[in-house]
Amino acid sequence: MLLESFHLAISEKLGWGDMSAEIAMPAINGIITNYLNMINERTGDVISPEDAVPALLENYTADQIFGLLGDDGDLNYLGSDKERMFIALRDEIEVWMKMGNTFEEARREWDV
């Protein structure tokens, strides 16, 4: 995995500095992918992570950034009850990730 400066910036905003890079990087890549897909679906724009991440970091809270991990492509996901419920489980999911479980394993544990 290639670590980019935007990975570090997202990790810092999320407070994931003490999480294993092997666990954090795929989750951060999922956040970025979901964000880029959301932009493309809503505007038709195709932009690079290097261009998108600064706007993401400036305009989204840490909880909203984390919430992008739960986005399943539903155009109504942002601001939905589903997003709020996913964000409400952030602490529990992150504890599992800090214990060495992948995001997918942590998500399955909490059935979200």
Side-chain angles (χ1 to χ4, degrees):
M1 285 182 277
L2 182 60
L3 182 66
E4 300 284 348
S5 61
F6 55 80
H7 287 106
L8 292 173
I10 291 174
S11 176
E12 183 178 309
K13 180 129 184 181
L14 291 172
W16 288 4
D18 60 344
M19 188 182 295
S20 162
E22 291 178 354
I23 300 300
M25 288 273 295
I28 291 169
N29 285 335
I31 289 168
I32 293 168
T33 297
N34 288 347
Y35 183 64
L36 293 174
N37 288 341
M38 180 188 69
I39 290 171
N40 181 259
E41 288 170 355
R42 286 170 172 72
T43 68
D45 294 340
V46 177
I47 57 176
S48 71
E50 294 83 3
D51 292 333
V53 169
L56 173 66
L57 292 170
E58 182 178 328
N59 297 310
Y60 283 69
T61 67
D63 281 345
Q64 290 170 323
I65 292 171
F66 179 82
L68 288 168
L69 272 174
D71 188 348
D72 59 4
D74 180 354
L75 289 175
N76 298 314
Y77 175 77
L78 291 182
S80 69
D81 286 340
K82 185 176 182 178
E83 179 192 33
R84 283 187 285 281
M85 289 187 313
F86 182 79
I87 291 171
L89 290 171
R90 178 180 176 187
D91 291 340
E92 289 84 353
I93 291 170
E94 288 178 339
V95 165
W96 276 82
M97 291 171 69
K98 288 179 181 179
M99 291 179 2
N101 296 285
T102 66
F103 164 70
E104 290 82 8
E105 292 167 334
R107 187 176 183 168
R108 277 193 302 272
E109 180 66 26
W110 293 100
D111 197 28
V112 289

